[in-house]
Amino acid sequence: MVAFLGMGLLGANFVRAMIRKGVQVQVWNRTASKATALEADGAKAFAEVADAVRGADVIHIVVKDDAAVNEVLANASAGFKPGAIIIDHTTTSAEGAIQRTKDWKARGFTYLHAPVFMGPQNALESTGYMLVSGDQEVIKKLEPALSQMTGKVINFGAEEGRAAGMKLIGNLFLVSFTAGIADTLSLAKALNIPLGDISTLFDSWNPAAMLPARLKRVSSGQYDQPSWELNMARKDTGLFMEAAAKGGTHLAVIPAIAKEMDRWIEKGHGNDDWTVIGKDAVS
């Protein structure tokens, strides 16, 4: 028996996928209608969270944040089966994941933080990535079931909270990447360049392929053999901002990057590779 708490877009499709695999699932959501909607798919919905977890060997949860996880689990605990396993897919702080692992273990339960890089369609199709870390015996036991929920389980070792930290790092990159796309489109708008031309460029030139090499370059600590000098990168950054201003568009992240570039130029790194702006992060 499995219980699933939190019937948002991700949780609901996780449940649908489990039911399609023949798993009996009891569900709960703070807004009850989201849970009862899953009854059409074969789930059993409960108005009270403690009732939803009764008899469940494994309890999955995906809610908003640390506070929500703590509140929901506290309210559900009256119905926990002795020795039940809690698997938390919520994006939370590393500290929260570490503390919950410790606290629930002290109460006789297994807690595993297993955040995901998955959208609702991934959850329905059982594709994507799930991150885990911590007690390797626990992970070894649960990995077969977790693998059925996702395309790949990535194990980051024995350190509690490491999976939570890796999820935050991944999300930071996605936020930065999307903000960069927004600035790219803003500059294109200012320059009267159509979206089709941007698509043509990136269909042929894929900067994402540079990511492994760029990560290695930034983290190397060696910036004295530039492929693009910081002074030149800063010059181009100024052209971005000037063109956007003339075209009446707004750049969200480039001004902050320009400010950081100026800081490193003032420190005497203008002739170094522009990736020197990441030096403090790796030194």
Side-chain angles (χ1 to χ4, degrees):
M1 171 74 71
V2 170
F4 212 112
L5 312 179
M7 293 297 99
L9 296 175
L10 195 65
N13 274 358
F14 268 137
V15 169
R16 291 186 178 101
M18 288 178 175
I19 291 170
R20 291 177 182 180
K21 293 180 176 74
V23 179
Q24 184 180 357
V25 188
Q26 299 181 169
V27 300
W28 171 89
N29 193 74
R30 194 183 303 273
T31 301
S33 59
K34 291 185 177 181
T36 55
L38 271 296
E39 291 187 325
D41 295 281
K44 186 173 182 181
F46 291 83
E48 300 297 330
V49 68
D51 293 332
V53 302
R54 291 190 198 282
D57 299 299
V58 179
I59 300 152
H60 294 266
I61 180 171
V62 55
V63 289
K64 181 181 179 181
D65 53 22
D66 286 285
V69 174
N70 290 337
E71 178 186 356
V72 171
L73 291 180
N75 292 337
S77 62
F80 283 173
K81 181 178 180 178
I85 297 168
I86 305 162
I87 304 176
D88 181 8
H89 306 291
T90 309
T91 299
T92 69
S93 67
E95 293 83 358
I98 293 168
Q99 191 63 49
R100 279 185 291 277
T101 303
K102 178 181 178 181
D103 290 347
W104 287 108
K105 183 177 182 179
R107 296 177 64 174
F109 302 98
T110 297
Y111 171 94
L112 178 68
H113 191 226
V116 300
F117 288 116
M118 299 171 69
Q121 192 63 29
N122 296 116
L124 187 62
E125 297 172 351
S126 301
T127 60
Y129 302 88
M130 185 176 292
L131 317 182
V132 294
S133 68
D135 189 320
Q136 294 297 291
E137 288 301 315
V138 170
I139 291 171
K140 183 178 180 180
K141 176 182 177 181
L142 297 177
E143 190 166 4
L146 296 180
S147 296
Q148 292 182 23
M149 297 176 65
T150 184
K152 185 175 179 62
V153 176
I154 307 175
N155 186 346
F156 285 101
E159 184 177 334
E160 305 289 356
R162 178 61 60 85
M166 294 304 299
K167 177 61 192 296
L168 294 179
I169 287 170
N171 277 8
L172 182 148
F173 184 86
L174 291 176
V175 169
S176 302
F177 184 59
T178 302
I181 291 174
D183 271 13
T184 299
L185 295 177
S186 292
L187 180 58
K189 182 178 180 181
L191 295 170
N192 296 312
I193 294 175
L195 180 59
D197 284 355
I198 299 173
S199 296
T200 297
L201 172 64
F202 290 120
D203 283 344
S204 300
W205 174 61
N206 179 14
M210 303 177 188
L211 179 58
R214 186 58 52 85
L215 178 61
K216 184 177 180 180
R217 182 66 183 265
V218 173
S219 61
S220 70
Q222 301 296 319
Y223 312 105
D224 57 355
Q225 296 182 1
S227 60
W228 192 18
E229 290 184 354
L230 179 57
N231 282 327
M232 298 303 291
R234 178 61 179 89
K235 178 267 296 182
D236 287 1
T237 303
L239 292 175
F240 308 157
M241 294 189 291
E242 180 182 348
K246 288 181 178 178
T249 61
H250 170 71
L251 299 182
V253 297
I254 289 299
I257 295 171
K259 185 176 180 180
E260 184 67 6
M261 287 177 167
D262 289 339
R263 186 172 77 89
W264 283 96
I265 290 170
E266 290 171 4
K267 291 169 67 172
H269 293 278
N271 294 324
D272 285 340
D273 190 84
W274 79 286
T275 56
V276 72
I277 65 173
K279 183 177 180 180
D280 285 349
V282 297
S283 60

